[in-house]
Each structure stands twice: as C-alpha cells, then as structure tokens.
Amino acid sequence: METKRLIYLDNNATTPVDPRVVDTMLPYFYDKPGNAASRSHPFGWIAEEAVDYAREQVANLISADPKEIIFTSGATESDNLGLKGVFEMYASKGNHIITTRTEHKAVLDTCQKLEKSGGQVTYLEVGPDGLISLEDLKAAITDKTILVCIMWANNETGVIQPMKEIGDICAAKGVLFMSDATQAVGKIPVNPRECEQKKSEGKSYGSDGWRWSRKGHEIRHLKRTGHCRIWKGGRNSQGRNGIRCSQSIKAER
C-alpha cells in the first residue's frame, strides 16, 4: 500500500523553522553560550553583539529604529503585551479600545479579558470585502478611546486593511494605533511610521517573535500573576539570532 506524503500548507498559523535559521542559532547553544546581559566577560559581549545585530535586521525590515524593537516569544505574546500594556499605562486617560470582529484570537481573547477588568471594547464589523468602514471607525472613537487595534493583513482571508487612512484618523483623534502585522511583514511593504502607528508585531520562519513600539509611546510591562505569563528572564540569544536570519530570509522573498 502506497503511503501518501503529507504536505504542510498552514504557514499562516505557524511556519517550519528554515534550516538556515537553525544553522544560525546552533553556535549560540554550544560554542557561544553567553548571556547577552553579562557584560563582564567575552561570552556576554559576543551574545550581546548578536542580539543587537538581530534587532537591527528586524528594524531594517520595517524602517524602524533598532531601539524600538522588543523581542517576545511570538506574535501572541506581542498582542497581549500591546493591548494589556496600553490598557494599564493609559488607564487615567480612558478604558476604551476599538478592534474588529475579524482579528486573530490573540487579540479577541485579550480584549475579552480586558472587558472583564473594566475595559470597554468596540468590535467593528467588516463589509463583504472584509474591510472596515472608515466612517464607522471615526464614529466609534470617543474621549475615552485609548487604542485602535486593527490587523494589517488577515490570516484567514488575506484582506489588507487601509492602514494609512486608519492611521490618519487615529492621529487626528490623538489615539494610539496598533496592528498585528504578522501576516504582512515580509510579504508586502510594511512601514508603521507611514501609517502613524505606535505599535506593531510579527514573526516568521524562526523561533521567536518581536514587536515594535514607537519612541515616546511606552507601555507598561506585565507582571506575572496567576495565568498571566510574562517573560522577564535573560535575553534569548539563540532565538533572537534565529529571528535575525529569518527576517533576512523574508526580506529576500
């Protein structure tokens, strides 16, 4: 009986690690095992240099400042960090967040969690073409709105939202604009600054994820309480070098 070979096509959910990424990471598991935060010996210097280079590679991909790149375990953590961090940081200004019905569950589940913590969330509907109505967005913004979170490219439908127009509306209203750009980065040009974005995130073909946060728009770091997971340990030199290589691969494509 002939065995059929399975072909993996679910790359919008998660990607296999590119062999070049593994090759880039391996030396930092064995020959270069330093902690990037250990600045008192050569192993730490080597690790720190590698992490800084990885940060530059990611920044170049989206025309950002390397100092604005924050490494995470993946896009889900990045979404959580952005939403929960803004909700806590800007609590004195308001508690209202605007998003869409078609966001990834990492955003929708987090928004539902924030609603239980006193947040108010408006879920914009999309039309038959999958796009939001810019007029609906304008109408939804109130003096209590602290964040608009709209996915750049949808992981199920491939619909690309009008990011520049959304960003212009948010800028005019003085509201932070965040996007889950996981499915867009490396596939289409992504420049958050041109869209007046303050926060964005991504991942692909590597082991870790990252998020971009514009200078001057801080978010509160999350504390580890109950089931809320945070990542406050040492910097992951191995994984971040994997990101460095994976972002280079995306740029090539």
Side-chain angles (χ1 to χ4, degrees):
M1 179 177 177
E2 182 180 353
T3 302
K4 293 183 178 180
R5 179 173 174 268
L6 292 176
I7 299 175
Y8 184 77
L9 298 174
D10 198 17
N11 287 291
N12 276 1
T14 190
T15 60
V17 178
D18 190 287
R20 289 168 290 181
V21 173
V22 176
D23 290 341
T24 301
M25 292 170 61
L26 284 177
Y28 295 90
F29 282 106
Y30 302 107
D31 301 326
K32 304 174 182 179
N35 186 325
S38 298
R39 299 178 176 175
S40 59
H41 55 74
F43 286 104
W45 304 338
I46 293 171
E48 182 179 29
E49 181 180 12
V51 170
D52 287 344
Y53 183 47
R55 186 172 281 109
E56 289 179 10
Q57 292 290 91
V58 172
N60 289 339
L61 193 62
I62 60 171
S63 301
D65 186 321
K67 294 180 180 178
E68 296 173 327
I69 302 299
I70 303 168
F71 288 115
T72 66
S73 62
T76 296
E77 185 189 355
S78 296
D79 286 333
N80 274 258
L81 179 61
L83 289 162
K84 294 176 181 176
V86 167
F87 183 74
E88 293 184 14
M89 190 75 179
Y90 294 86
S92 61
K93 180 180 184 294
N95 66 341
H96 182 226
I97 294 172
I98 300 173
T99 188
T100 73
R101 295 281 184 191
T102 55
E103 293 294 308
H104 190 277
K105 279 182 63 64
V107 169
L108 295 176
D109 287 353
T110 303
C111 285
Q112 291 171 9
K113 172 66 177 177
L114 293 179
E115 287 180 294
K116 294 179 181 179
S117 300
Q120 294 185 340
V121 182
T122 296
Y123 299 92
L124 298 176
E125 302 289 348
V126 299
D129 56 2
L131 299 174
I132 66 164
S133 162
L134 297 178
E135 294 305 314
D136 287 351
L137 172 60
K138 291 178 185 178
I141 296 176
T142 73
D143 59 352
K144 295 295 184 182
T145 304
I146 55 176
L147 179 67
V148 171
C149 177
I150 296 178
M151 180 183 285
W152 200 304
N154 189 278
N155 58 301
E156 299 287 348
T157 64
V159 169
I160 300 171
Q161 297 291 345
M163 305 307 286
K164 181 65 170 64
E165 291 80 359
I166 295 171
D168 289 343
I169 292 172
C170 293
K173 297 286 188 177
V175 176
L176 293 177
F177 178 27
M178 163 184 155
S179 178
D180 180 340
T182 304
Q183 305 301 336
V185 174
K187 300 174 184 176
I188 59 175
V190 171
N191 188 333
R193 291 183 189 280
E194 292 182 352
C195 302
E196 298 293 340
Q197 278 193 33
K198 304 301 183 287
K199 308 178 191 303
S200 187
E201 48 268 329
K203 66 172 183 178
S204 67
Y205 294 99
S207 57
D208 282 17
W210 52 268
R211 77 180 319 278
W212 169 80
S213 187
R214 192 168 187 168
K215 286 182 180 178
H217 296 275
E218 293 79 10
I219 56 176
R220 181 163 295 173
H221 291 286
L222 306 178
K223 297 179 180 179
R224 184 167 188 156
T225 56
H227 296 291
C228 179
R229 301 175 67 188
I230 66 161
W231 312 90
K232 285 290 280 185
R235 287 179 281 177
N236 182 355
S237 304
Q238 300 92 343
R240 289 168 190 180
N241 274 289
I243 291 178
R244 168 175 68 81
C245 184
S246 70
Q247 301 313 308
S248 297
I249 293 169
K250 291 195 82 170
E252 292 174 4
R253 297 181 180 182

